Amino acid sequence: MLVKRIIACLDVKGGRTVKGTRFLNLRDAGDPVELACEYCRQEVDELVFLDITATNEKRKTLTSLVKRVAKNINIPFTVGGGINSIEDIEILLSSGADKVSINTYAVRNPLVITESAKRFGTQCIVVAIDAKRVDGDYKVFLNGGREATTIDAVLWAKRASELGAGEILLTSMDTDGTKLGFDIELTRLVSESVKIPVIASGGAGKIEHFEQVFKQGKADAALAASIFHFREVDILQLKKYLLLSGIEVRLTEAFLDVA
């Protein structure tokens, strides 16, 4: 059985970590470097850094901040936001990112998935999909959820996989920030349509939601932000709960011995 991953997300705006609900009403959640260091101590499996307004503001990701985070952590680090060229991907990888997350740029230039995967390796290319239910179907949204499209989210995930994406970062705009649980149906539909790992994002509010998205949604990893930032869910306790529920996760012996 493959080990499931727990991922912490730093949504960054103006150099600060922020979190909102359904992509709106952002509130400050702390310094991204301090949070990143704390997540390493808590044995989170990976970290995702998203400069959430870079694309909409037509600017590059904050590479200086990416470098600061990368220097202080020792876990896989994915960075996204404001990417609109192969050169942008190269800059972020050379700044310390292990993977890059591309969303709007990939939709508008699908072949960049293949080109970047060939140049940097499939494992470095994560295609992020922000999806929302529209008239009963899941549609892709761009520019940080601000721009609607008619693209079917499940079909796009499948195509991205075929073009060479290494992973899919799937965020449900309907559940994002609600703490009511992941969108199980959306996650399951995408997970069943691709042969690459799917990271479920949007809606985590309690430990049980992670079990549900792994077992029912068939996700390979689960990402959360505010419940980790504000210590509403303890990562150690979450991993222990998942182990007891029959879900394999990574946890060192030192942490296994902690009550």
Side-chain angles (χ1 to χ4, degrees):
M1 181 184 294
L2 291 176
V3 173
K4 302 295 186 180
R5 291 170 289 147
I6 302 299
I7 300 175
C9 182
L10 303 177
D11 290 326
V12 176
K13 180 181 180 182
R16 297 286 292 179
T17 306
V18 296
K19 192 65 188 94
T21 303
R22 298 190 174 99
F23 289 34
L24 301 171
N25 303 317
L26 302 178
R27 59 174 173 152
D28 188 271
D31 178 77
V33 178
E34 291 179 3
L35 284 169
C37 293
E38 180 59 29
Y39 288 135
C40 282
R41 287 191 289 269
Q42 294 181 37
E43 292 208 0
V44 77
D45 296 303
E46 297 188 20
L47 187 68
V48 169
F49 175 112
L50 300 176
D51 191 338
I52 60 174
T53 59
T55 298
N56 191 56
E57 294 173 0
K58 296 181 172 60
R59 61 171 174 79
K60 304 302 181 184
T61 300
L62 300 170
T63 53
S64 60
L65 185 54
V66 169
K67 290 179 181 178
R68 286 174 56 210
V69 172
K71 286 179 180 178
N72 285 278
I73 63 174
N74 58 0
I75 55 176
F77 181 34
T78 301
V79 178
I83 297 171
N84 53 33
S85 71
I86 294 289
E87 289 69 31
D88 289 343
I89 295 174
E90 185 171 23
I91 288 170
L92 290 174
L93 291 173
S94 64
S95 296
D98 298 291
K99 312 175 195 178
V100 293
S101 170
I102 52 177
N103 187 337
T104 301
Y105 179 45
V107 171
R108 292 184 173 151
N109 305 274
L111 289 181
V112 77
I113 300 173
T114 304
E115 293 170 8
S116 57
K118 286 182 179 178
R119 182 165 175 178
F120 306 110
T122 296
Q123 77 284 352
C124 291
I125 307 304
V126 179
V127 171
I129 300 175
D130 295 332
K132 184 177 182 180
R133 191 185 287 273
V134 179
D135 298 327
D137 296 315
Y138 291 104
K139 300 297 182 182
V140 172
F141 279 66
L142 307 178
N143 288 331
R146 298 172 180 84
E147 180 183 337
T149 76
T150 59
I151 300 169
D152 182 275
V154 180
L155 293 179
W156 169 234
K158 184 176 181 180
R159 187 182 181 206
S161 172
E162 293 169 347
L163 286 169
E167 287 185 291
I168 299 293
L169 171 52
L170 179 66
T171 300
S172 167
M173 293 179 62
D174 297 304
T175 62
D176 177 72
T178 64
K179 301 182 185 178
L180 298 175
F182 295 96
D183 190 323
I184 299 300
E185 180 183 1
L186 171 63
T187 307
R188 178 181 53 77
L189 287 170
V190 171
S191 296
E192 291 179 344
S193 72
V194 300
K195 296 180 180 179
I196 58 176
V198 173
I199 303 167
S201 169
K206 57 183 180 179
I207 284 177
E208 291 81 4
H209 292 155
F210 290 84
E211 179 185 9
Q212 292 165 5
V213 82
F214 286 136
K215 289 185 176 179
Q216 300 170 32
K218 301 183 179 181
D220 299 278
L223 176 151
S226 64
I227 61 168
F228 293 156
H229 300 337
F230 302 115
R231 293 298 188 96
E232 296 167 39
V233 167
D234 179 83
I235 294 170
L236 170 59
Q237 295 305 320
L238 167 60
K239 286 192 169 185
K240 285 189 172 184
Y241 173 89
L242 293 173
L243 284 173
L244 291 173
S245 300
I247 297 170
E248 289 294 322
V249 294
R250 184 185 66 85
L251 200 57
T252 63
E253 287 188 25
F255 278 90
L256 280 170
D257 293 335
V258 177

